[in-house]
Amino acid sequence: TLTCLLLLAMLLSMSGCGGGKTAESAVSPETEAALPAPAALTPEPTPEPTPLPTPRPPVPETIEESWFDDAVFIGDSITGMLSSYTLLNGGLGQADIIYANSYSCHGAMEEDLKLSYQGERLSMPELVEKTGAGKAFFLLAMNDLSRKPEEIKECWAEILEEIRSRCPDTQVFIQSGTPLFTETGYLNNDNVELLNEALKDFCLENHCVYVDIAQGLKDEEGKMQGKFSLDYAHFNGEGCKIWIEALMDRDNYYYAPRSGT
């Protein structure tokens, strides 16, 4: 009996060593409480897209006369009226004003008409380059009134391509055609409106600036007001004053910037 009791005691002692360790965690409750909880898996936040820079507007909020100091104005005999007016009255700072009678976009391209500047005969792109102008304003509408809108756009596309190849930093401004006081044949105000729509579309499609200089010159029927008329198409001094006031008004400038600029 004693022997049986001793054997039983030995068996109980062996079950208490080693076997318990395999059944229980090797980490005590105190140690387990001290360990940090595993970090939760969270998705990486989607980065905000980098906003495109705001394009620098080509026209200041308030236009001062000095803004035109680095400008060149190019046109036909209507621009000649502006040249004469500013020589006597100022209004456009130190801008160069160059014109030729009967000048037009198509005349410049098809007939290779030139403009006189400092003793040279130059094309429009050559003239813009020669003056070093930061801004080039064009008014060539009247002698292109016989052309279809698509022809107008094609002609300007050729001119613009060469200007930008020579002077990539020059901002191009195309002024609207102005109203007629007396209409005859294709020289009529309906054609002026069609041409202006084509010019505006061209500017917005090609990132030029379209300048509406015509509104203040019109009467209620869309004709040139008589008090501004020198003849059927040209302005007197009062008309030139209204023209300059239009150029000084930022609301008359229409611009579609290049995407991403």
Side-chain angles (χ1 to χ4, degrees):
T1 304
L2 180 59
T3 302
C4 291
L5 290 173
L6 289 171
L7 289 172
L8 179 60
M10 290 175 65
L11 290 171
L12 289 172
S13 174
M14 289 175 64
S15 68
C17 300
K21 289 184 179 180
T22 60
E24 295 176 1
S25 169
V27 181
S28 69
E30 293 79 6
T31 304
E32 185 174 6
L35 292 175
L41 296 177
T42 56
E44 289 291 328
T46 303
E48 291 291 328
T50 303
L52 293 174
T54 302
R56 184 169 62 88
V59 181
E61 291 289 340
T62 301
I63 300 175
E64 305 287 348
E65 183 177 340
S66 59
W67 185 67
F68 298 98
D69 283 348
D70 68 340
V72 59
F73 284 76
I74 299 172
D76 55 24
S77 58
I78 293 178
T79 296
M81 300 294 101
L82 185 67
S83 177
S84 298
Y85 179 85
T86 55
L87 283 174
L88 294 174
N89 303 283
L92 292 176
Q94 301 300 312
D96 286 309
I97 302 178
I98 315 297
Y99 69 95
N101 292 339
S102 302
Y103 202 68
S104 69
C105 181
H106 281 85
M109 293 302 298
E110 296 174 3
E111 301 170 32
D112 198 27
L113 296 179
K114 302 292 187 180
L115 296 156
S116 296
Y117 181 72
Q118 294 183 347
E120 296 185 70
R121 303 285 291 171
L122 304 169
S123 68
M124 283 193 287
E126 290 171 341
L127 176 59
V128 174
E129 183 178 29
K130 183 74 174 181
T131 61
K135 311 173 187 76
F137 287 79
F138 297 93
L139 179 56
L140 304 171
M142 202 56 60
N143 297 298
D144 280 323
L145 284 182
S146 63
R147 304 286 180 165
K148 296 177 181 178
E150 286 308 312
E151 293 178 314
I152 298 292
K153 290 183 180 182
E154 289 170 6
C155 181
W156 272 109
E158 291 186 55
I159 293 288
L160 182 63
E161 181 179 7
E162 187 174 352
I163 289 174
R164 284 182 168 163
S165 69
R166 290 174 175 270
C167 312
D169 296 327
T170 299
Q171 182 69 62
V172 174
F173 299 78
I174 299 180
Q175 300 169 92
S176 67
T178 49
L180 294 156
F181 181 65
T182 304
E183 299 175 288
T184 177
Y186 66 82
L187 294 173
N188 62 72
N189 287 306
D190 287 340
N191 280 344
V192 172
E193 291 302 315
L194 287 174
L195 179 141
N196 285 344
E197 285 301 314
L199 291 178
K200 188 172 184 180
D201 288 346
F202 175 83
C203 288
L204 297 180
E205 291 164 3
N206 292 277
H207 319 296
C208 303
V209 184
Y210 175 80
V211 192
D212 185 351
I213 62 171
Q215 293 304 318
L217 298 166
K218 295 178 180 179
D219 64 15
E220 62 277 3
E221 297 177 354
K223 295 170 54 179
M224 186 195 299
Q225 295 184 52
K227 62 183 178 181
F228 301 138
S229 172
L230 187 64
D231 56 21
Y232 72 102
H234 300 88
F235 316 137
N236 57 22
E238 285 302 305
C240 289
K241 181 180 178 183
I242 296 298
W243 182 354
I244 292 174
E245 289 175 359
L247 291 168
M248 302 288 284
D249 185 348
R250 193 177 195 267
D251 289 341
N252 292 324
Y253 291 74
Y254 298 83
Y255 177 64
R258 289 179 175 85
S259 176
T261 60

